[in-house]
């Protein structure tokens, strides 16, 4: 039987294989620059192994290691941000949708802080709450009420198993599969609306396993449709999840879970795709990220890196997902030996059958060993002065690029303060507008829409609304009255207040609007029938609340409202 191959229809997005592009151009890094990155990554991989070992035996070393090189390239080369000010609103954002890679996030944040301390101390934030120090790693996956000696002495932060905004540079709570990608895209929507053409970029870290939930396809579709050009998705394609080493279809080999690969899924939804065949090659990684930043067609961009989960850790693939070497086992010492051996450094060590910490049972002992190991990391960066100074200079350049960009709000940006000012005044003297005439027949949902529209007009459009194809039926469409008709598009209809979030998609809708609200200058309003929205909106709403509470623990920021309208609830 003769068959034909189906091809994609016309796309606004483009596809690029960076290895093919590099055949005709000079590698982006000099030999010295490449060596500096390689030296830093050795420290990073070793720190990931140390953290898992001394917690003890907790975290996700595999995916933290496989994503490390492209995240290092983001924070030292691609992003425009201010390491001294994690709350700077005009800065690019890095969001870990793959919340289980928190071990890697904390390791990189602490190493970046060390690089800054050694090479550019003037960039260090004066408030320790705005730093993540090497000392804070003593709090990885620890309870805030922990009383061990060093945790107390250094006032270490208690670092959650998944990222929360209690950590500097983290805007969202992530972890539930697929919600982190949707809410991270919500940050991009809000930034694009608030800043217009000069919007900060939002870089999102995810893996192919984290792309399998249905809400991810919904969110990708929404961003592609809306021409969300400031969104950049970075996919750690290592083919390994908890239960499988063959998550996706790979060439002619069917996947255990899905029959697409990450490039196809993103390209299907009208994203630009930049493929990095060797995601562990710094030259390819940085070339791909620079190429992605140069695409000017207004579509969101996915950079897909082929990697190996647990690379050079001694355990690879699914076995390194949430698991690693036994406490102070020979295999652990082998994994960190490239860092230790050259200078004759030593880690604390004892006989396997006579561990002083009694297999982690004595927290104060294992904490002491952990801190001794972290001291080796600190001294290594101090000794590798040339590499550390070079990376510190890149952090200085990142801030300089941000300053030169002069990102300013669009001239008619919404002002959310008007919403709360008006509400506060109404407590003292109830407003007659929008008043109802006596005898008027109405509905609760209709009145909610009318009142929110009143606030929306007063604030210049601080409310964005979306519905699971039920705008009129739930009356939420009235919130966007007096604003341009049609769905919001960064390219063609940027003053509309109505979002098209992929159709009948309560999951992604709630995730995206939670991220949009978290940015701080909008309030997301999602609506659907209550039987659907109440359960499907719960996860995103709960993560939104967790994030708000975590942020409140380290700042005076007000809580950021998210409104879910559960319409047509109950039996007649």
């Amino acid at each position: 039987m003769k068959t034909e191959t189906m091809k994609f229809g016309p796309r606004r997005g483009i596809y690029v294989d960076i290895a093919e592009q590099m055949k005709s151009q000079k590698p982006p890094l000099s030999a010295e620059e490449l060596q500096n990155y390689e030296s830093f990554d050795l420290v990073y991989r070793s720190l990931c192994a140390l953290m898992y070992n001394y917690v003890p035996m907790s975290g996700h070393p595999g995916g933290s290691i496989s994503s490390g090189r492209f995240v290092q390239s983001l924070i030292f080369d691609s992003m425009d941000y201010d390491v001294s000010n994690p709350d700077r609103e005009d800065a690019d954002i890095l969001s870990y949708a793959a919340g289980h890679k928190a071990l890697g996030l904390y390791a990189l944040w602490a190493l970046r802080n060390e690089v800054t301390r050694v090479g550019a101390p003037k960039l260090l934030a004066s408030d320790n709450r705005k730093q993540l120090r090497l000392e804070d790693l003593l709090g990885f996956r620890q309870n805030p009420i922990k009383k061990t000696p060093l945790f107390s002495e250094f006032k270490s932060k208690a670092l959650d198993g998944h990222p929360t905004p209690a950590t500097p540079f983290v805007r969202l709570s992530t972890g539930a599969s697929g919600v982190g990608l949707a809410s991270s895209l919500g940050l991009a929507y809000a930034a694009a609306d608030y800043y217009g053409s000069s919007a900060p970029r939002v870089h999102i870290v995810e893996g192919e396993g984290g792309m399998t939930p249905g809400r991810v396809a919904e969110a990708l579709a929404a961003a592609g449709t809306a021409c969300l050009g400031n969104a950049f998705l970075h996919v750690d394609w290592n083919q390994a999840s908890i239960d499988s080493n063959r998550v996706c279809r790979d060439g002619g080999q069917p996947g255990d879970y899905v029959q697409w690969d990450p490039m196809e899924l993103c390209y299907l939804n009208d994203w630009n795709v930049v493929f990095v065949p060797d995601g562990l090659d710094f030259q390819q990684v940085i070339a791909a990220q620079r190429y992605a930043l140069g695409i000017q067609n207004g579509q969101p961009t996915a950079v897909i890196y082929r990697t190996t989960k647990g690379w050079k850790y001694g355990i690879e693939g699914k076995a390194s997902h949430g698991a690693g070497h036994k406490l102070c086992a020979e295999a652990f010492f082998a994994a960190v030996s490239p860092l230790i051996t050259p200078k004759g450094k030593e880690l604390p060590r004892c006989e396997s059958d006579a561990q002083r910490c009694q297999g982690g049972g004595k927290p104060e002992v294992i904490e002491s060993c952990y801190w001794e190991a972290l001291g080796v990391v600190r001294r290594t960066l101090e000794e590798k002065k040339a590499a550390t100074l070079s990376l510190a200079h890149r952090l200085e350049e990142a801030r300089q690029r941000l300053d030169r960009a002069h990102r300013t709000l669009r001239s008619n940006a919404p002002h959310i303060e008007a919403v709360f000012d008006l509400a506060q005044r109404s407590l003292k003297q109830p407003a007659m507008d929008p008043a109802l005439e006596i005898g008027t027949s109405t509905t609760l949902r209709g009145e909610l829409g009318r009142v929110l529209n009143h606030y929306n007009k007063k604030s210049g459009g601080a409310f964005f609304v979306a519905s699971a194809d039920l705008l009129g039926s739930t009356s939420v469409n009235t919130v966007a009255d007096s604003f341009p008709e049609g769905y919001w598009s960064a390219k063609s209809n940027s003053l509309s207040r109505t979002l098209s979030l992929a159709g009948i998609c309560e999951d992604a809708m709630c995730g995206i609007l939670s991220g949009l609200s978290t940015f701080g200058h909008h309030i997301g309003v999602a609506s659907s029938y209550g039987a659907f929205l109440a359960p499907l909106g719960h996860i995103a709403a709960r993560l939104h609340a967790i994030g708000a509470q975590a942020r409140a623990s380290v700042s005076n920021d007000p809580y950021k409202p998210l409104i879910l309208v559960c319409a047509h609830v109950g039996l007649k």
Side-chain angles (χ1 to χ4, degrees), residues 355-378:
Q355 291 182 331
R356 289 178 290 125
C357 69
Q358 296 181 358
K362 288 189 172 183
E364 67 282 358
V365 175
I366 199 166
E367 181 186 66
S368 175
C369 294
Y370 188 10
W371 180 240
E372 190 175 338
L374 292 176
V376 172
V377 171
R378 173 166 280 167

Side-chain angles (χ1 to χ4, degrees), residues 375-395:
V376 172
V377 171
R378 173 166 280 167
R379 290 192 298 276
T380 300
L381 289 176
E382 291 171 344
E383 292 165 3
K384 294 178 177 290
K385 197 68 177 285
T388 302
L389 288 175
S390 174
L391 293 174
H393 179 63
R394 286 175 171 269
L395 294 175

Side-chain angles (χ1 to χ4, degrees), residues 8-58:
F8 285 102
R11 311 276 103 186
R12 289 171 293 186
I14 62 172
Y15 169 81
V16 170
D17 181 329
I18 201 62
E20 294 299 318
Q21 292 287 321
M22 292 179 69
K23 289 178 179 179
S24 60
Q25 63 189 43
K26 183 179 177 181
L29 298 177
S30 68
E32 181 181 2
E33 289 171 327
L34 177 59
Q35 184 54 50
N36 291 338
Y37 273 103
E38 293 286 354
S39 296
F40 183 85
D41 185 63
L42 173 59
V43 178
Y44 168 74
R45 296 196 317 270
S46 302
L47 181 54
C48 288
L50 293 171
M51 289 175 66
Y52 180 85
N53 185 70
Y54 290 110
V55 169
M57 295 178 292
S58 186

